[in-house]
Amino acid sequence: MEEVLRITVRLEEICETKGHLGSARMIAFSGEADGPYFTGKILPHGVDTQTEKTGETMQLSARYMLSGTDHTGQPCRLFIENNGTEDKNGIVTSPQIYTDSEALAWMEKAVLTGSVEGCGENQVVIHIRRAEAQQYAFRVEKCSIAVGDNRIFASLYLPECEQRVPAVALSHGYNGKGNDFREEAAYFAANGIAACTFDFCGGSVGAKSSGSTKEMSVLTEKEDLKAVVSFLKERPEIEKDSLFLFGGSQGGFVSLLTAAECPEEIRALVLYYPALCIPDDWRKEYPDPSQIPESREFWGMELGRCYFEAAVRLDAFQPFETVKQKILLFHGDQDEIVPVSYAEKAAQVGKNVELEILPGEKHGFSGQAGRYTMEKALAFMKSICRQNGNLL
């Protein structure tokens, strides 16, 4: 169980009466809340109503409003109705939350439980937790996938279950490796979605796949990703009608290009700070394509002419005009490598783009933001699967 809110409550005025068939009390309170997703305080007029019929357990119903900021830095409010009972093991509650925060909208549908801990005179702590998603055991297979004269080194994370499962291909960024997304792959597999991480051919100096960095471009990586998609479709454990693409930075741009060419094969995309700036950056560097060198070093890799020639010919936003799949796009507003304006333009151009800008995040998310985006990506893919009627 993950704790989503910890609320410190200070008990204030108490009104009570004892009737012939039972008793009742109303407790006004104030306090503060914190947790991984929200920080704030209880607004005035919060009240806990407790009733106890003779010979029966006590029933509680607290209603209160919290005001503060969510984990993305946006101001918001949470209304909580917390109904519960008290028995020999303590107080157990079933909270219902309503919020105006887009980032916390999942709380309204989450299965929540609450417990109350006494921590001094006239003060208690309320712990609100959510049930973990269904967990599956999974295995990891090392795979070799043919693409032209090269071989792609891949790791396939497969949930252990009897029926076919959805799958997602995770594409790493420039000079990265498939292992960069091993945490996400394990998380998705543990929640019923097969995940394939892989090294692009020539995609980094440490890639286990074959191929030279001087032969790599976003177009060769697109062909690599299409080969991975074909591989996943052929696996008997995988539901071929529920394939997703997940990409970060250059891998996000490559995922977009691939989806544009595979409208019937790819169900939806999750993009982390996609490097939509690549064409603009290299057109600025080489306004005259005839000046592109045969090779040059860039950010730790020796690139060949093919990389730059492909980049300067591309329009990063044209695919957004044609891609019909839904796209969930995350971008930090402090990204110094890919300005957030590229993501904002993508959301304007694309008809099916859901953009979430993360305040304070850069190119590569912090631990807390990484966990949040990973969970939201899972919920997004499962939502698409439910629409297809083939979710585990």
Side-chain angles (χ1 to χ4, degrees):
M1 301 287 281
E2 178 193 17
E3 185 173 279
V4 297
L5 272 176
R6 183 179 187 272
I7 306 170
T8 302
V9 173
R10 290 185 295 276
L11 309 181
E12 298 177 344
E13 184 178 1
I14 301 176
C15 301
E16 59 182 336
T17 185
K18 293 184 178 179
H20 299 288
L21 299 178
S23 61
R25 67 178 62 86
M26 298 181 69
I27 306 171
F29 56 86
S30 60
E32 296 81 30
D34 61 16
Y37 305 103
F38 175 87
T39 302
K41 65 178 182 179
I42 299 173
L43 294 175
H45 312 304
V47 64
D48 182 19
T49 302
Q50 303 176 358
T51 60
E52 185 174 3
K53 291 184 178 180
T54 303
E56 297 182 10
T57 58
M58 183 172 66
Q59 305 293 312
L60 306 92
S61 181
R63 293 177 175 84
Y64 50 104
M65 190 83 70
L66 297 169
S67 179
T69 56
D70 62 28
H71 61 283
T72 70
Q74 295 300 308
C76 64
R77 288 187 172 185
L78 277 67
F79 170 79
I80 300 179
E81 179 176 357
N82 206 2
N83 298 313
T85 60
E86 182 182 43
D87 58 23
K88 63 181 180 179
N89 297 316
I91 297 173
V92 179
T93 68
S94 300
Q96 174 64 63
I97 295 178
Y98 300 102
T99 177
D100 57 2
S101 166
E102 290 294 328
L104 301 182
W106 58 268
M107 286 187 172
E108 299 189 0
K109 298 180 180 180
V111 178
L112 303 174
T113 60
S115 61
V116 180
E117 169 193 356
C119 59
E121 186 175 356
N122 296 324
Q123 185 167 300
V124 298
V125 174
I126 301 170
H127 301 275
I128 295 180
R129 301 177 176 88
R130 66 167 165 175
E132 292 287 349
Q134 185 176 359
Q135 296 292 302
Y136 294 83
F138 63 89
R139 68 183 188 273
V140 182
E141 291 185 12
K142 302 300 182 183
C143 308
S144 179
I145 303 169
V147 54
D149 295 330
N150 285 318
R151 305 292 301 186
I152 298 171
F153 172 82
S155 296
L156 181 60
Y157 295 67
L158 277 172
E160 298 280 8
C161 61
E162 296 181 356
Q163 65 191 84
R164 291 183 177 182
V165 296
V168 57
L170 299 98
S171 297
H172 65 77
Y174 180 88
N175 206 8
K177 292 185 292 185
N179 267 350
D180 294 344
F181 285 132
R182 61 185 179 276
E183 181 179 356
E184 287 81 359
Y187 177 74
F188 296 148
N191 286 283
I193 297 179
C196 185
T197 63
F198 61 98
D199 295 357
F200 281 113
C201 294
S204 73
V205 294
K208 293 183 180 179
S209 298
S210 62
S212 166
T213 62
K214 294 173 68 174
E215 298 171 344
M216 179 273 295
S217 73
V218 292
L219 297 183
T220 66
E221 291 196 340
K222 172 171 62 70
E223 296 306 311
D224 291 350
L225 182 51
K226 289 167 69 174
V228 171
V229 169
S230 296
F231 163 77
L232 291 174
K233 288 179 61 179
E234 293 170 0
R235 293 288 303 215
E237 306 92 339
I238 289 170
E239 176 54 63
K240 65 180 181 179
D241 292 331
S242 291
L243 298 180
F244 299 88
L245 300 183
F246 178 116
S249 195
Q250 180 167 295
F253 186 27
V254 171
S255 296
L256 175 69
L257 296 174
T258 304
E261 294 188 7
C262 305
E264 302 302 322
E265 296 176 276
I266 304 305
R267 198 53 65 220
L269 298 85
V270 178
L271 305 179
Y272 283 13
Y273 39 84
L276 306 175
C277 61
I278 287 175
D280 285 346
D281 288 350
W282 292 112
R283 277 192 287 265
K284 291 175 184 176
E285 184 80 6
Y286 299 115
D288 180 358
S290 68
Q291 299 302 309
I292 294 175
E294 287 302 314
S295 66
R296 65 165 283 184
E297 190 277 338
F298 179 71
W299 285 0
M301 284 207 296
E302 191 70 20
L303 301 176
R305 182 180 179 87
C306 63
Y307 184 91
F308 309 106
E309 285 183 331
V312 299
R313 293 199 309 266
L314 289 169
D315 179 345
F317 297 101
Q318 189 277 329
F320 286 104
E321 298 176 358
T322 57
V323 165
K324 296 180 180 179
Q325 299 97 324
K326 290 185 178 180
I327 300 174
L328 178 60
L329 197 165
F330 297 101
H331 210 106
D333 67 352
Q334 300 301 309
D335 195 323
E336 297 177 350
I337 295 176
V338 184
V340 70
S341 58
Y342 280 90
E344 292 170 334
K345 183 175 179 179
Q348 293 173 353
V349 173
K351 297 179 180 179
N352 299 308
V353 179
E354 178 185 344
L355 170 63
E356 184 161 338
I357 297 174
L358 305 179
E361 293 297 325
K362 300 182 179 180
H363 200 74
F365 297 145
S366 64
Q368 181 171 306
R371 180 70 184 181
Y372 164 73
T373 53
M374 186 166 61
E375 290 181 349
K376 188 158 185 180
L378 174 67
F380 172 75
M381 290 188 287
K382 285 196 169 187
S383 174
I384 301 295
C385 289
R386 279 194 292 272
Q387 295 173 18
N388 294 346
N390 54 12
L391 181 64
L392 288 170

